Amino acid sequence: MAMSTPNLQTFPDLEALTSAAYTFVLDQAAAALQARGQFTIALAGGNTPKPLYERLASADTPWAQWQIFWGDERYVPQDHPDSNAGMAMAAWLNHIPIPAANIHPMPTDEPDPAAAAARYEATLRHVLAAEADAIPQFDLILLGMGPDGHTASLFPHTPALQVRDRLVTLGNKDGQPRLTFTVPLINRARQILFLVTGANKQTALRHILRRTGDPHTYPALLIEGQCTWFLDQAAAEGVTANSQ
Ligand code: 6PG
């Protein structure tokens, strides 16, 4: 089957991928700042983007014009080692002169995570100035991908994959609640940048980039917006392999 041609670049290692991602993010920021005076970005969790965040800590950009969100979150306090917000704060955001009001971690203090998802949706609508029935448009959404083909906290065969009438919903990682952007919100972004490393992602990546898999099995197939994929060599070998 013909593969749609996403913008795909392969790098020898994480360091080279990080340098390219750093340039990509700052280029998107510069374009958004020039066009609209504001840059809205949603961050990914996981290990792959951490060196990018560390590098961004010394970038020269008007931070006060950035609005920073997260595309998914584990339902733990920010000082918990699993917190995506906590990781980005420690690696990057604690080290730059950005107003606290421009940093929007997903709330994890509601007894009911569904209430936290609704609160975050309201925050998104407010900061991105979206009408009640409109889908706000991020300038850039960063995403990772797991070996099972999940992205954000859209895990295989979970109800979150089918949510189309919300911006933020509940993910489910082996019974643990997560908060996650929904498919329509992600797909509406001006740019989506996937950062994918590691040989254990080859099989999922092959199905996703060749668009041969089932989206309930490989949720990243649901992401059909303006995507760019940055892969390391280990992950990319799966895409060019002939085997299924
Ligand atoms: C998270 C994520 C998740 C992540 C992938 C890839 O909170 O875990 O946002 O979607 O991006 O699991 O993670 P790695 O980069 O660590 O492989």
Side-chain angles (χ1 to χ4, degrees), residues 16-213:
L17 179 148
T18 297
S19 291
Y22 175 84
T23 302
F24 187 98
V25 170
L26 290 179
D27 283 353
Q28 296 305 319
L33 294 176
Q34 185 169 13
R36 292 173 295 282
Q38 167 172 273
F39 179 52
T40 54
I41 180 172
L43 307 185
N47 298 315
T48 309
K50 192 173 173 207
L52 167 65
Y53 300 161
E54 287 167 349
R55 205 146 157 207
L56 284 165
S58 48
D60 181 15
T61 177
W63 292 116
Q65 289 161 259
W66 289 47
Q67 296 287 345
I68 297 180
F69 294 81
W70 277 261
D72 78 315
E73 186 56 279
R74 297 100 185 264
Y75 211 69
V76 294
Q78 212 184 98
D79 59 3
H80 189 284
D82 290 344
S83 168
N84 286 341
M87 185 275 274
M89 296 298 297
W92 169 19
L93 304 171
N94 285 340
H95 310 288
I96 56 168
I98 185 168
N102 295 24
I103 301 177
H104 309 279
M106 287 179 151
T108 55
D109 57 350
E110 297 277 355
D112 176 5
R119 246 172 77 193
Y120 204 59
E121 180 158 328
T123 302
L124 285 181
R125 289 199 181 284
H126 177 71
V127 180
L128 278 74
E131 300 295 328
D133 53 354
I135 303 176
Q137 186 168 40
F138 274 91
D139 292 312
L140 176 60
I141 296 181
L142 299 180
L143 292 174
M145 192 198 77
D148 60 357
H150 84 266
T151 189
S153 283
L154 300 166
F155 288 92
H157 305 291
T158 57
L161 303 184
Q162 292 173 56
V163 177
R164 297 289 179 276
D165 58 349
R166 306 301 308 242
L167 305 177
V168 182
T169 192
L170 294 190
N172 179 328
K173 163 76 173 160
D174 303 330
Q176 296 299 313
R178 300 268 191 113
L179 299 182
T180 185
F181 279 9
T182 58
V183 170
L185 176 60
I186 297 172
N187 280 339
R188 174 125 170 83
R190 288 195 170 82
Q191 295 286 337
I192 298 163
L193 178 61
F194 277 93
L195 303 177
V196 181
T197 57
N200 61 349
K201 300 183 180 165
Q202 289 179 0
T203 303
L205 204 49
R206 182 161 61 243
H207 284 294
I208 290 158
L209 293 176
R210 292 181 178 184
R211 307 206 84 72
T212 54

